[in-house]
Amino acid sequence: MTTSESPARRRGTRRAAAHGTAAGAVCVLALAAALTGCGSDSGGDAGAPGPATPSRSAEPSPASPTPTPSPTRPSASPTPTKAKPVKPMKPSTPAELRACADGSCTVVVTKGTELPRAAGLRAGPFTVGAVSGEGVDISSVDPSGFTSNLLGQRPDQGGPATINELSISVLAITGDTAKLRLFPAK
């Protein structure tokens, strides 16, 4: 065997390599096509291909400025389930609200509810400015005139809001009422 190859042999080797690469690509494409065609619309014939669905462009064409959803195309939003009726919350009484003066209480508030100053925690008094699906707005003006605003407080915001040494957490919002928990900050 010699260390040099003839030009004809090198061309043959290159053709074989190119042919092998092309054959491999064809095999991969055939496998991908077979996998995307698998499926069925019923559980009884697992090997039969499912019906083809036309693909739609994400951008509307100039001829149709607003795409019309197909009646057979599933909607993007989940199908609403029958929600249990939400039990309305009864706002806390003035006596229950006064119990917040020690900085530890759970109360139900509406717009205009006033919570007393938690003097031991250097926070308050508080006024609820709004309660809606967007959240709860709470403001406070301390004796020195410093104003604190907690806007859009929600149960899913990741934790309580803290003013000085008092934490306020929104537990639930139902219509125009909200359940708040006040507790000493750690």
Side-chain angles (χ1 to χ4, degrees):
M1 178 180 228
T2 63
T3 57
S4 64
E5 293 183 56
S6 70
R9 184 172 180 150
R10 274 187 254 142
R11 280 192 301 270
T13 304
R14 278 187 249 147
R15 274 191 218 130
H19 180 65
T21 304
V26 170
C27 287
V28 169
L29 290 174
L31 179 60
L35 290 175
T36 58
C38 291
S40 66
D41 56 343
S42 68
D45 54 351
T53 57
S55 63
R56 294 179 57 103
S57 171
E59 296 179 19
S61 67
S64 60
T66 55
T68 306
S70 170
T72 59
R73 183 177 175 200
S75 67
S77 61
T79 305
T81 58
K82 290 185 179 181
K84 295 178 183 175
V86 178
K87 187 176 176 182
M89 294 187 287
K90 181 180 174 188
S92 296
T93 65
E96 292 168 328
L97 296 172
R98 281 192 300 272
C100 293
D102 67 354
S104 183
C105 65
T106 300
V107 291
V108 176
V109 298
T110 59
K111 179 180 178 179
T113 300
E114 294 185 9
L115 300 169
R117 175 169 170 72
L121 301 176
R122 302 179 308 123
F126 299 96
T127 302
V128 177
V131 177
S132 71
E134 299 295 315
V136 181
D137 296 346
I138 304 167
S139 63
S140 170
V141 179
D142 70 12
S144 70
F146 182 77
T147 302
S148 299
N149 290 306
L150 304 174
L151 304 176
Q153 301 298 298
R154 300 190 41 81
D156 57 359
Q157 71 185 20
T162 302
I163 296 178
N164 292 334
E165 297 171 28
L166 178 70
S167 291
I168 301 174
S169 181
V170 178
L171 302 177
I173 299 173
T174 303
D176 64 348
T177 59
K179 183 181 268 190
L180 305 179
R181 179 174 170 244
L182 284 68
F183 56 98
K186 294 182 181 183

